[in-house]
Amino acid sequence: MAVNWGGLICVAGFYVTILAVGVYASTKTKGITSINEVMLAGRNIGLLLGVFTMIATWVGGGYINGTAQSVYDTGLWWTLAPFAYSCSLIINGLFFAKTMREQGYVTLLDPFQIKFGRGMGGLLFLVALCGEIFYCSAILTALGYTFSVILDIESNIAIIVSACIAMSYTLFGGLYSVAYTDVVQLVCLFFGLWLAIPFAFTNEHVTSIVETSSTWRGTWDNRYAGVWCDYILQLLLGGLPWQEYFQRVLSAKSVRNAQIMSYAGAIGCLIMTIPSFIIGTIATSTNWTATEYKQEITDSNIVLPLVLQYLTPKFVSIIGLGAVCAAVMSSADSTILSISSMFSRNIYKHLIKQNASEKEVIWVMRISIIVFGAISITLAITVDSIYGLFYLCTDFVYVILFPQLVSVVYIDFTNTYGSLSAYIIGLILRLGGGEQLLKLEPFIEYPFFDNENPSVDTTL
């Protein structure tokens, strides 16, 4: 298959538009040397813009590609991430958004460093860093798959170009640029995916999803009820302590807006999941050997791009590709900004150079955007099991960061020693259960341990 030049030109036009919006938004920070202005848009994000950027940040390329992939692979029963992550926004809104916004923190790590000390905050940063970097790499990988299927170009090129564009407007515009581009990207994502649905549904090679419901619903085995609950808790509670979320909450004009953004964002995320879910059911109902693809799907990572490419007209598949690009960039820019904000403020300012000026911290943040963006690109290109690494990191966020967040907000008598002890014990207990991805055998046999299947895959 030759390179789809028409599609490439359309995608290039989309990228130019996004870059133009990001550059325009960056003019709002011109001459500004305040950390609050760059990292939190001066705590001046309105309700509507806040809801848009909240949804766009949560609904990334891995989110929409992964939902379709999970429905195709394991069925609805095991497609847990969309529901769990949406509920995590509600929990955050109920229990954490109000306190964090009232205290006027700048990053997620601020309360940890205030209560447990700068060094403990640095240790917790390592967990957050791994989660953010691997998440960014995972969504860039999703984009690479989509480009290679629809445009037949090298996925590495798509990864590099997309990440560089997201980094460029984030570099100078900070949260202003990220929020404004999120609006455009979310609109493109919504219409791009919904446009593809009727065409894919009516393709001659697709059987009615009612007839194939037993396949896409998946199967339930009581033996794995504990695993199912474990995944739900990991995604639900492990989805709470993320800087991308709190960066938006802390940038809200008021506490009330911060909470409403969380609830509206949860509803929006569920709505944005619907087209990906439908695409997954369509993929399970398709006779792929009768399509131009002429074979069964062997790599479920490309389920969504395959549906767009082979079950819809060319112009629809290009628009769908734009939707995936929008999803990836809306999450990639947020992730890179969030980790750079934590590094520049909580590591550089609080640990390395405590007398650094705000202007210096902002330049450190900009350099960090380039460095962490480059690391994410490198991992997306070189590491095959990036999705597995991301799930592993969310597991560590769940085991280590979530209890610490509860402690710092709700348990007054906790201190540095308790925080460090919990950090170490949580790490030992998690690694003690074994990890297939790291080829680590379990050395702690928890209740219901299965000797015949001691290590359960962490990817869904």
Side-chain angles (χ1 to χ4, degrees), residues 35 48 66 80 150 168 180 248 266 277 280 295 315 333 342 347 356 378 397 401 420 438:
I35 291 175
L48 184 61
L80 306 176
I150 295 179
S168 63
Y180 276 78
R248 277 134 192 84
F277 164 74
Q295 58 180 313
F315 80 94
D333 56 14
M342 286 192 291
I347 302 302
T378 302
V397 168
L401 271 186
L420 180 60
L438 301 178

Side-chain angles (χ1 to χ4, degrees), residues 216-432:
W216 56 258
R217 277 203 310 264
T219 57
W220 177 261
D221 189 334
N222 288 333
R223 291 181 302 167
Y224 295 103
V227 176
W228 189 91
C229 292
D230 188 36
Y231 279 136
I232 278 286
L233 290 174
Q234 175 192 336
L235 295 167
L236 184 65
L237 303 180
L240 300 181
W242 289 83
Q243 167 67 5
E244 293 104 313
Y245 167 79
F246 284 104
Q247 194 151 27
R248 277 134 192 84
V249 163
L250 297 173
S251 69
K253 285 185 177 181
S254 65
V255 172
R256 178 176 176 273
N257 279 8
Q259 291 182 292
I260 294 175
M261 282 163 52
S262 303
Y263 307 143
I267 296 171
C269 287
L270 283 176
I271 293 173
M272 297 301 294
T273 302
I274 296 173
S276 293
F277 164 74
I278 294 175
I279 287 174
T281 64
I282 290 172
T284 62
S285 308
T286 301
N287 180 6
W288 287 102
T289 57
T291 66
E292 292 183 12
Y293 191 55
K294 300 187 183 304
Q295 58 180 313
E296 294 297 334
I297 298 176
T298 55
D299 182 4
S300 60
N301 286 310
I302 58 175
V303 163
L304 187 142
L306 284 178
V307 169
L308 294 176
Q309 175 68 4
Y310 293 103
L311 302 182
T312 67
K314 288 291 182 185
F315 80 94
V316 175
S317 67
I318 298 303
I319 296 174
L321 174 60
V324 176
C325 294
V328 168
M329 294 179 72
S330 66
S331 294
D333 56 14
S334 301
T335 302
I336 294 172
L337 176 64
S338 68
I339 197 66
S340 300
S341 298
M342 286 192 291
F343 175 80
S344 58
R345 176 175 171 80
N346 301 108
I347 302 302
Y348 184 80
K349 170 69 174 175
H350 289 172
L351 277 178
I352 299 175
K353 190 177 181 183
Q354 296 174 28
N355 63 345
S357 66
E358 291 206 346
K359 185 176 181 179
E360 183 179 345
V361 173
I362 290 172
W363 275 105
V364 170
M365 185 194 76
R366 289 170 175 167
I367 295 171
S368 301
I369 288 172
I370 297 173
V371 172
F372 292 129
I375 293 173
S376 298
I377 292 171
T378 302
L379 288 173
I381 292 173
T382 58
V383 179
D384 293 331
S385 56
I386 197 71
Y387 279 103
L389 289 173
F390 166 59
Y391 277 109
L392 177 59
C393 287
T394 60
D395 206 354
F396 284 120
V397 168
Y398 167 46
V399 171
I400 297 175
L401 271 186
F402 166 67
Q404 302 270 357
L405 179 63
V406 174
S407 297
V408 80
V409 174
Y410 286 105
I411 306 177
D412 293 334
F413 58 81
T414 53
N415 56 29
T416 305
Y417 300 107
S419 176
L420 180 60
S421 300
Y423 190 103
I424 296 171
I425 293 173
L427 187 63
I428 292 173
L429 291 177
R430 173 59 188 88
L431 293 178

Side-chain angles (χ1 to χ4, degrees), residues 138-157:
I139 59 180
L140 288 174
T141 302
L143 179 65
Y145 285 134
T146 307
F147 261 85
S148 62
V149 170
I150 295 179
L151 297 185
D152 195 31
I153 66 172
E154 177 61 42
S155 62
N156 292 350
I157 297 175

Side-chain angles (χ1 to χ4, degrees), residues 99-100 103-117 121 124 243 246 250 345-346 350 404-405 407-409:
T99 301
M100 297 288 282
Q103 295 299 318
Y105 298 128
V106 178
T107 72
L108 166 66
L109 294 180
D110 280 0
F112 297 107
Q113 290 193 311
I114 291 172
K115 188 169 186 177
F116 300 143
L124 294 171
Q243 167 67 5
F246 284 104
L250 297 173
R345 176 175 171 80
N346 301 108
H350 289 172
Q404 302 270 357
L405 179 63
S407 297
V408 80
V409 174

